[in-house]
Amino acid sequence: MNDDPLDLSLRSPGESRRETGWERETIEKLVFASLKEQQAARRWKLFSRLLWLSLIALVVWLWFIQANMGSAVSTPHTAVIDIKGEIASGAEASAENVVGSLRSAFEDGGAQAIVLLIDSPGGSPVQAGIINDEITRLKALHKKKIYAVVEETCASAAYYIAASTDEIYVDKASLVGSIGVLMDGFGFTGLMEKLGVERRLMTAGTNKGMLDPFSPQDATQNAHMQSMLSEIHTQFIDVVKKGRGERLKETPDTFSGLVWSGQQAVTQGLADGLGSLDHVAREIIKAEDIVDYTQRENVGMRLARELGVSMGVGVFNAARAAGLRLQ
């Protein structure tokens, strides 16, 4: 008997039909499964493209709205710009954002004056200096007044900015001042000695390892850093004296880094009076309508950035869950 499974000549007709039918069914199932997989892959690809197109459209729309927000306002109003949180590069209260807001507000013909609504513990002297210089330039260019209104806190770099405004208004319980400069860190040399840990530091440059927390302090390096801090402190003091002028009632503690209540700040000439945003808009500027010019991170751009990081993982997980192959 021929044992060749492909030789059907010696098999009964019924047996041949059954085997042929089984093979046909198997092939049909494979073909249909492949077609379904291809259809699902096409649907997923179409969905992904639509998602990205929608995201791009959202980003463009939000950018357009934000870019034209200031120019859409022409009636008399008070322009307000928030300075909240840490003043630092990349933060909401960065020089880039605040300066952009200032330019929009000063250039708008309907803005009768500008108010900086401040609630910040301070931050970078560099960022504050950039904002301070731009306020001075824009005031001279557009002949508009700018006010600072303090909510909870206006300390350190935040006061550096406020000092450049025409007048400063506070709440009686606000925290104002902290006119000083600091640089902090930690030292672990005592702990390392107790643990028997040896620090091995190699540098090219005598002072390259300056302020290394795992090395003993060096008197010469400390003196250099203190000199630098004193120089920045002097710059801060000069800005405050220039901005406040004869209104400042200087005492030995004024530039010591102390923080004052709003009421004390008024008494010492660090602020001009008590008042809220509404009070300043209504009574000082005489323009009750308030328009917010604060440049905040664009929602669409934030979504795009976050999706850009996570989209690859999300697509892979979704495709794997759907039983698809990514090609």
Side-chain angles (χ1 to χ4, degrees):
M1 180 180 289
N2 189 350
D3 293 330
D4 186 353
L6 298 179
D7 186 1
L8 303 180
S9 60
L10 300 179
R11 299 181 185 181
S12 65
E15 182 180 358
S16 298
R17 283 194 298 271
R18 284 195 300 272
E19 292 191 5
T20 302
W22 175 84
E23 291 172 354
R24 184 180 294 111
E25 287 182 9
T26 301
I27 293 172
E28 289 175 351
K29 288 180 180 179
L30 290 173
V31 171
F32 284 130
S34 177
L35 289 174
K36 287 181 179 180
E37 184 176 343
Q38 291 176 10
Q39 291 173 351
R42 283 196 295 270
R43 285 196 297 269
W44 176 254
K45 185 180 293 185
L46 178 62
F47 172 76
S48 299
R49 289 175 178 174
L50 289 174
L51 179 63
W52 277 109
L53 287 174
S54 300
L55 179 60
I56 292 170
L58 176 63
V59 170
V60 172
W61 179 75
L62 289 172
W63 175 84
F64 179 81
I65 292 297
Q66 180 172 319
N68 291 276
M69 182 174 56
S71 59
V73 180
S74 58
T75 57
H77 60 273
T78 294
V80 63
I81 299 169
D82 284 343
I83 297 181
K84 296 185 181 296
E86 182 185 9
I87 299 166
S89 178
E92 187 171 303
S94 67
E96 179 182 7
N97 289 341
V98 175
V99 166
S101 303
L102 286 166
R103 289 173 181 170
S104 297
F106 271 98
E107 291 169 2
D108 193 313
Q112 304 303 295
I114 296 88
V115 173
L116 299 181
L117 188 60
I118 300 176
D119 184 4
S120 170
S124 165
V126 174
Q127 297 289 303
I130 294 172
I131 297 170
N132 183 290
D133 292 343
E134 188 65 10
I135 289 173
T136 302
R137 186 187 75 84
L138 290 171
K139 283 198 304 182
L141 179 63
H142 295 281
K143 309 302 180 184
K144 287 184 181 180
K145 285 200 170 186
I146 180 169
Y147 302 87
V149 173
V150 179
E151 292 186 318
E152 302 291 336
T153 306
C154 180
S156 195
Y159 191 80
Y160 194 115
I161 294 171
S164 63
T165 64
D166 294 293
E167 295 177 8
I168 302 173
Y169 290 88
V170 298
D171 183 86
K172 57 182 177 297
S174 298
L175 298 179
V176 181
S178 187
I179 302 172
V181 185
L182 66 81
M183 177 180 289
D184 58 357
F186 297 92
F188 301 98
T189 52
L191 178 62
M192 291 170 63
E193 290 177 3
K194 291 181 180 179
L195 296 176
V197 178
E198 178 185 359
R199 172 64 163 167
R200 296 174 179 175
L201 175 66
M202 296 181 292
T203 65
T206 306
N207 297 300
K208 187 60 179 177
M210 183 169 57
L211 300 182
D212 174 57
F214 302 103
S215 300
Q217 286 189 308
D218 181 274
T220 302
Q221 294 174 350
N222 286 348
H224 172 78
M225 296 305 298
Q226 187 59 56
S227 174
M228 184 180 68
L229 293 175
S230 297
E231 179 182 346
I232 298 173
H233 189 206
T234 299
Q235 296 170 3
F236 195 170
I237 293 170
D238 291 342
V239 165
V240 173
K241 287 184 176 181
K242 179 181 178 181
R244 300 304 297 165
E246 296 181 355
R247 292 170 291 181
L248 184 65
K249 299 176 178 60
E250 185 178 344
T251 70
D253 292 329
T254 301
F255 305 117
S256 68
L258 286 176
V259 178
W260 317 95
S261 70
Q263 188 67 65
Q264 291 171 328
V266 173
T267 301
Q268 297 187 39
L270 293 171
D272 296 281
L274 303 180
S276 64
L277 171 61
D278 289 334
H279 170 80
V280 172
R282 182 179 60 253
E283 304 297 336
I284 308 299
I285 301 174
K286 307 297 184 182
E288 291 190 57
D289 290 339
I290 297 172
V291 177
D292 188 356
Y293 284 75
T294 309
Q295 287 190 4
R296 296 180 175 86
E297 185 177 20
N298 188 290
V299 176
M301 294 302 294
R302 183 170 67 249
L303 286 172
R305 186 178 63 253
E306 292 175 354
L307 282 173
V309 174
S310 61
M311 180 60 77
V313 176
V315 170
F316 174 78
N317 290 337
R320 185 174 58 181
L324 305 180
R325 293 194 306 267
L326 298 180
Q327 298 177 341

